[in-house]
Amino acid sequence: CPASLAAPLAFTMLQLTRVYKGNSMFRGNASLNGQLSHVLEGNNVTQVIPLESPDAWARRQDEVIAYLGNFRQLVMLFNKERPTDFIHHLCCHLGCRLYPNGTAQSFYEVTLNRTAFLSFHVPSATWERRWPGELPVAAFAQAQLMKYPITTQDLQYFLNTTCVSLLQAQSARTGPVSGRSRTPLVLGLVLGSLGLLGMALGIFLCTGGSC
């Protein structure tokens, strides 16, 4: 829904990954202040709102395509070693909100097969398990994610600083989002973080839940 004057500004991203018999299928989107800004479908990512210059966006597309290719190859490799007939759906939902009083809130939530799986506690840059009950792969994924700066400190910086700065720049302007915006969008950083998230979660989910 379009943001109102009383509602917070928001930038959100959604990535959906379907893994089946070694094949990975991707789709997702991003929205800025209630307007669709990016679309991910298969190997194609498009910028609906021109938040970046054509040259910068071309580089960002290359980064996204490389990330998706690496993810897909790793899933195929693991499937050869430990094949499974299970279908897994991994959903990553992240972003930030800027309230009229100047305060901000960031979030990162992960669900597995429509059940809460992990969440990122932004102030402490730590991953927390949300799965209802014991699941070895949840503990394993949490431990793996905590090993890498790109999924802890870098992700914290994106959510607390880059994402919020995007909204602050939008708040300083009047009227709707326009094509003249040159607000930097570090989409590559987020998808890079999702790359390691995919390695720690999606790939090992192909083991059928055993670690």
Side-chain angles (χ1 to χ4, degrees), residues 5-107:
L5 294 177
L9 300 178
F11 178 67
T12 60
M13 294 185 65
L14 180 69
Q15 179 179 349
L16 306 174
T17 304
R18 181 176 181 267
V19 178
Y20 179 60
K21 290 187 176 181
N23 297 314
S24 304
M25 288 141 280
F26 309 101
R27 61 189 178 92
N29 61 69
S31 62
L32 172 62
N33 196 22
Q35 283 189 268
L36 184 68
S37 61
H38 299 82
V39 175
L40 171 66
E41 190 68 42
N43 287 331
N44 300 315
V45 58
T46 56
Q47 183 179 227
V48 180
I49 300 175
L51 297 176
E52 295 184 295
S53 66
D55 290 343
W57 178 243
R59 292 191 297 270
R60 198 77 64 206
Q61 283 180 306
D62 290 341
E63 293 172 0
V64 173
I65 292 172
Y67 146 64
L68 296 175
N70 291 336
F71 179 87
R72 183 173 283 109
Q73 290 177 4
L74 286 169
V75 170
M76 292 175 64
L77 176 63
F78 272 76
N79 186 72
K80 288 181 180 179
E81 297 182 0
R82 304 182 71 172
T84 177
D85 291 331
F86 295 104
I87 298 176
H88 294 291
H89 296 273
L90 187 68
C91 175
C92 304
H93 182 222
L94 65 155
C96 62
R97 303 180 184 94
L98 179 65
Y99 293 88
N101 63 3
T103 60
Q105 179 188 31
S106 302
F107 62 93

Side-chain angles (χ1 to χ4, degrees), residues 33-210:
N33 196 22
Q35 283 189 268
L36 184 68
S37 61
H38 299 82
V39 175
L40 171 66
E41 190 68 42
N43 287 331
N44 300 315
V45 58
T46 56
Q47 183 179 227
V48 180
I49 300 175
L51 297 176
E52 295 184 295
S53 66
D55 290 343
W57 178 243
R59 292 191 297 270
R60 198 77 64 206
Q61 283 180 306
D62 290 341
E63 293 172 0
V64 173
I65 292 172
Y67 146 64
L68 296 175
N70 291 336
F71 179 87
R72 183 173 283 109
Q73 290 177 4
L74 286 169
V75 170
M76 292 175 64
L77 176 63
F78 272 76
N79 186 72
K80 288 181 180 179
E81 297 182 0
R82 304 182 71 172
T84 177
D85 291 331
F86 295 104
I87 298 176
H88 294 291
H89 296 273
L90 187 68
C91 175
C92 304
H93 182 222
L94 65 155
C96 62
R97 303 180 184 94
L98 179 65
Y99 293 88
N101 63 3
T103 60
Q105 179 188 31
S106 302
F107 62 93
Y108 196 132
E109 301 163 346
V110 183
T111 62
L112 169 62
N113 298 332
R114 299 177 179 84
T115 300
F117 190 63
L118 292 173
S119 66
F120 184 67
H121 186 252
V122 180
S124 61
T126 56
W127 288 93
E128 300 175 347
R129 277 174 280 171
R130 296 300 183 192
W131 191 266
E134 296 295 327
L135 183 68
V137 71
F140 177 82
Q142 179 192 32
Q144 290 297 309
L145 286 169
M146 288 302 299
K147 289 182 178 180
Y148 304 101
I150 196 172
T151 54
T152 52
Q153 291 95 336
D154 290 358
L155 185 56
Q156 181 191 50
Y157 182 85
F158 172 81
L159 293 171
N160 268 347
T161 304
T162 308
C163 186
V164 174
S165 296
L166 177 75
L167 295 179
Q168 289 172 337
Q170 172 64 22
S171 178
R173 294 192 298 270
T174 57
V177 179
S178 72
R180 295 186 298 274
S181 171
R182 289 296 178 265
T183 307
L185 176 65
V186 192
L187 183 61
L189 172 61
V190 184
L191 291 178
S193 300
L194 291 174
L196 275 182
L197 180 62
M199 284 185 278
L201 302 181
I203 294 172
F204 289 97
L205 296 178
C206 292
T207 66
S210 59

